[in-house]
Amino acid sequence: MSPFLSFFNKIDPQVETKPKVALSEVDHEMRLPVLLFTISGILWLLIGTFFAIVASFKMHSPELLANFEPLTFGRVRSAHLNAMTYGWANNAVFAVGLWIMARLCKAHIRYASMLIIAGVFWNIGVTIGIIGILTGGLTSVEWLEMPPQVGPLLAFSYVLIGMWGILMFRFRERGHVYVSQWYILGALFWFPWLYVVAITMIFLEPARGTIQALTNWWFGHNVLGLWYTPMGLAAIYYLLPKVLGRPIYSYYLSLLGFWSLALFYNWAGVHHLIGGPIPVWLISAGIVASVMMVIPVVVTAINHHMSAVGNARAVWQSPTLRFIVFGAMSYTLASFFGSWMALRSVNVVTHFTQFTIGHAHHGVYAFFTMTMFGGIYFMMPRILEREWPSAMLIKVHFWCAAIGIGMMLVALHVGGWIQGMDLNNPDIPFFSPDSSARTILGALKPWLFSRSISGILLTIAHIAFFVNFALMLIGPRAVRYKEGPTLLAAERKGA
Amino acid sequence: MFEWNLYLMIIAVFGGIFFATAVAALWWSAKHGQLRNFEQGSRVIFDDEEPEGVHTDYFPGESAKASDKLREIR
């Protein structure tokens, strides 16, 4: 065996020794980095929500803030995407993903300062990037709009985080690699690969012509599929059985799901260029890979469903599981939609419409963000040894987020489909001075308006989350439940 | 056209290595007993502090009521 691979094989998984480190010790040692990432993530979530609301209102009321240059649509839309992606989502991944990794390794935390340095630099990088976008320094590459100058700063922070993950894994005290660890390890390895290749081939040593577009969508789609998806699934596979107190329905299926994702997903992004000027065989390969994704999705869906079925009350009584199960169900649905949208006959309608925007929110919000909310609800009481101060605020957060995103998905999918059908019909004009005429814009406007309403609901949800989190950090009320439910003390007394 | 193909070759190589690493990881896991004894593997998330068979998350302040209800159902 090569020395490289033997580096990771410290303990025999068949001989399960009792780890010497307790979970509460791991939680305690992870406190500082997790807090740094979570606080930054939640602040970015609020900033990103503000940009989202502005962008959404501008879609149906273009005169809003039209004379204020930094918030013109092109900039504010990109600022929203980047604040949510690199600000909120990545910080949430670093907090929840690395915490789960640490817990599963069951070893003392080494080099936590690496994470602190990485966290500080990462957030400085994103801040400079967002300011760059708002002041007009943005690029035209979707998902990589931040000025390329911040690339090295983000890459450096990321390298530290990736190295920390690998070192944590190397010094693990558990022989068996749990499925969540596979997902997190995979994601930690894939993301820098994607980022470095994309930055190199688009900005540093730009490839010619459509290869740039190809690299762009290979990157853009894989950020979702090989970074957020594995991190979200890792959280679900850890927290669903953990909260219910019983192992996952089929561990075999969970591993099958991971390996099929690892082998097939990488190709799928090409479906963004269906109809574009690239070789047809490449697009066909992308479509085949997209449809192949049905395998890991079905496998994962069966597994999640069978694990939660019959435990509806337990799911309902846990804030974590409300969000996690919502996320898991959304993952299944969003993935099926994704495979379906990759078919040429469907794509000819949905391409260049709000349907795609709806699909992106289905994946990143309904699945990923909801899952991360669930993860944070489980994680913070253990990290801070305090209880969430308000059950009511958690419920407000859940209901506003669930109804808000549900409404947004209906609006964008239905509105987008109508838009696509209209775009393919040469008799329907885009716009007409005659207000009674049937136009593409006229048909789309009510759906865009309802998207803004859903955005207000999401804003309320995020504010409730922020207030609850802030009170937990600084408010005295949070300590009242110190012996509280999520810390298990009460459960043990009652049992 | 030559340049286009050259770049395509470069990303094909990147893609190939990407795929190869996934295959290598799968090979490693098979070789080192990670794909055996799933029953034991699925239980590594539980320990003395958060044991199997115990629900570990409720709304704050509602644990006693909620766990009573769950016991009734069982």
Side-chain angles (χ1 to χ4, degrees):
Chain A
M1 186 176 57
S2 78
F4 177 73
L5 289 179
S6 64
F7 176 77
F8 295 104
N9 194 43
K10 209 173 74 146
I11 310 162
D12 183 357
Q14 302 304 321
V15 186
E16 203 55 52
T17 50
K18 214 168 172 61
K20 298 169 205 83
V21 185
L23 285 178
S24 51
E25 284 179 82
V26 177
D27 294 343
H28 185 74
E29 291 170 7
M30 280 297 276
R31 178 181 287 183
L32 221 54
V34 162
L35 269 182
L36 172 68
F37 289 126
T38 314
I39 294 171
S40 324
I42 293 175
L43 291 177
W44 280 117
L45 179 71
L46 294 183
I47 296 168
T49 310
F50 167 73
F51 292 145
I53 288 282
V54 174
S56 179
F57 272 81
K58 275 170 178 280
M59 289 290 274
H60 51 80
S61 309
E63 69 283 357
L64 176 80
L65 293 169
N67 296 324
F68 186 53
E69 216 179 320
L71 294 183
T72 41
F73 182 80
R75 295 186 192 179
V76 80
R77 186 257 176 207
S78 299
H80 158 64
L81 193 154
N82 285 271
M84 286 305 198
T85 306
Y86 300 104
W88 153 247
N90 271 23
N91 274 305
V93 157
F94 296 149
V96 177
L98 298 180
W99 172 74
I100 290 177
M101 183 66 161
R103 276 187 143 218
L104 285 169
C105 289
K106 290 216 84 174
H108 282 293
I109 307 300
R110 294 155 200 256
Y111 319 117
S113 52
M114 272 169 83
L115 293 180
I116 307 280
I117 295 169
V120 170
F121 278 103
W122 180 270
N123 284 294
I124 292 175
V126 178
T127 309
I128 297 172
I130 299 291
I131 294 172
I133 290 173
L134 292 175
T135 50
L138 73 172
T139 73
S140 59
V141 183
E142 204 165 351
W143 290 90
L144 287 171
E145 287 98 337
M146 289 198 278
Q149 289 84 345
V150 298
L153 195 58
L154 296 184
F156 166 74
S157 320
Y158 187 81
V159 166
L160 285 182
I161 286 170
M163 273 166 54
W164 183 90
I166 290 169
L167 286 172
M168 192 72 223
F169 183 71
R170 167 67 181 85
F171 294 111
R172 72 190 186 279
E173 295 284 334
R174 273 240 149 96
H176 180 78
V177 184
Y178 187 65
V179 61
S180 297
Q181 279 170 299
W182 278 117
Y183 275 116
I184 295 168
L185 269 183
L188 285 176
F189 172 74
W190 291 323
F191 184 72
W193 189 292
L194 296 165
Y195 191 73
V196 169
V197 171
I199 290 280
T200 309
M201 294 196 65
I202 298 175
F203 297 120
L204 302 180
E205 191 57 48
R208 296 287 178 271
T210 49
I211 287 284
Q212 271 195 30
L214 204 58
T215 314
N216 184 188
W217 282 114
W218 173 79
F219 170 76
H221 202 86
N222 282 340
V223 168
L224 300 174
L226 292 176
W227 176 235
Y228 297 135
T229 299
M231 287 296 190
L233 290 179
I236 296 175
Y237 273 122
Y238 183 70
L239 293 170
L240 187 65
K242 172 68 105 179
V243 176
L244 289 176
R246 62 180 210 180
I248 199 83
Y249 168 71
S250 165
Y251 194 63
Y252 167 76
L253 281 183
S254 66
L255 285 174
L256 182 68
F258 170 76
W259 289 110
S260 45
L261 179 111
L263 295 173
F264 303 139
Y265 202 100
N266 169 33
W267 275 94
V270 195
H271 63 220
H272 282 268
L273 294 169
I274 293 175
I278 58 167
V280 175
W281 69 266
L282 259 178
I283 295 175
S284 299
I287 295 173
V288 171
S290 306
V291 176
M292 289 276 273
M293 283 308 294
V294 168
I295 299 171
V297 171
V298 167
V299 161
T300 310
I302 292 173
N303 220 357
H304 291 166
H305 176 74
M306 294 306 285
S307 300
V309 78
N311 287 293
R313 187 174 281 274
V315 168
W316 203 239
Q317 286 173 342
S318 152
T320 303
L321 283 193
R322 276 198 197 187
F323 284 96
I324 292 276
V325 169
F326 189 98
M329 286 160 69
S330 303
Y331 170 70
T332 310
L333 209 60
S335 306
F336 281 139
F337 263 78
S339 296
W340 180 65
M341 285 164 73
L343 302 175
R344 282 189 175 87
S345 53
V346 180
N347 199 270
V348 77
V349 178
T350 61
H351 213 143
F352 302 125
T353 70
Q354 296 293 326
F355 201 98
T356 310
I357 320 291
H359 179 63
H361 285 86
H362 205 174
V364 180
Y365 197 98
F367 158 51
F368 174 78
T369 294
M370 291 297 260
T371 305
M372 288 298 126
F373 286 149
I376 292 173
Y377 276 122
F378 188 84
M379 178 175 73
M380 289 323 292
R382 287 159 177 82
I383 292 287
L384 289 174
E385 293 172 12
R386 285 176 161 211
E387 194 48 270
W388 288 96
S390 165
M392 179 52 75
L393 282 175
I394 301 178
K395 286 172 187 167
V396 169
H397 178 198
F398 176 76
W399 282 113
C400 287
I403 296 171
I405 192 63
M407 192 172 159
M408 181 189 285
L409 294 181
V410 171
L412 293 181
H413 282 92
V414 177
W417 189 263
I418 295 170
Q419 183 192 9
M421 297 298 273
D422 288 357
L423 281 168
N424 286 332
N425 183 347
D427 296 331
I428 301 177
F430 180 73
F431 177 75
S432 165
D434 174 11
S435 59
S436 61
R438 169 89 162 88
T439 61
I440 296 174
L441 200 60
L444 190 58
K445 216 171 162 180
W447 300 105
L448 294 177
F449 188 74
S450 51
R451 190 248 302 264
S452 291
I453 304 291
S454 73
I456 292 172
L457 278 172
L458 293 180
T459 309
I460 296 170
H462 297 163
I463 290 173
F465 180 47
F466 169 73
V467 170
N468 213 4
F469 181 73
L471 288 176
M472 187 184 198
L473 271 183
I474 54 171
R477 191 175 143 78
V479 195
R480 206 176 78 186
Y481 298 119
K482 204 170 176 180
E483 302 250 313
T486 47
L487 297 174
L488 268 179
E491 174 66 24
R492 281 203 200 117
K493 264 185 231 161
Chain B
M1 194 61 203
F2 168 76
E3 205 175 353
W4 201 98
N5 283 325
L6 179 74
Y7 281 116
L8 192 61
M9 297 279 266
I10 294 171
I11 51 172
V13 171
F14 273 126
I17 300 171
F18 205 98
F19 184 77
T21 51
V23 173
L26 180 58
W27 178 82
W28 178 88
S29 71
K31 187 98 175 160
H32 293 100
Q34 296 290 345
L35 302 178
R36 269 181 283 152
N37 203 353
F38 289 155
E39 197 60 26
Q40 182 183 310
S42 68
R43 288 187 160 78
V44 298
I45 56 169
F46 301 111
D47 74 347
D48 298 341
E49 283 186 311
E50 291 174 355
E52 194 180 342
V54 176
H55 289 263
T56 50
D57 191 57
Y58 298 108
F59 278 94
E62 294 178 10
S63 73
K65 204 170 59 182
S67 58
D68 283 349
K69 271 189 188 162
L70 283 177
R71 260 193 290 276
E72 274 169 34
I73 293 167
R74 280 185 208 133

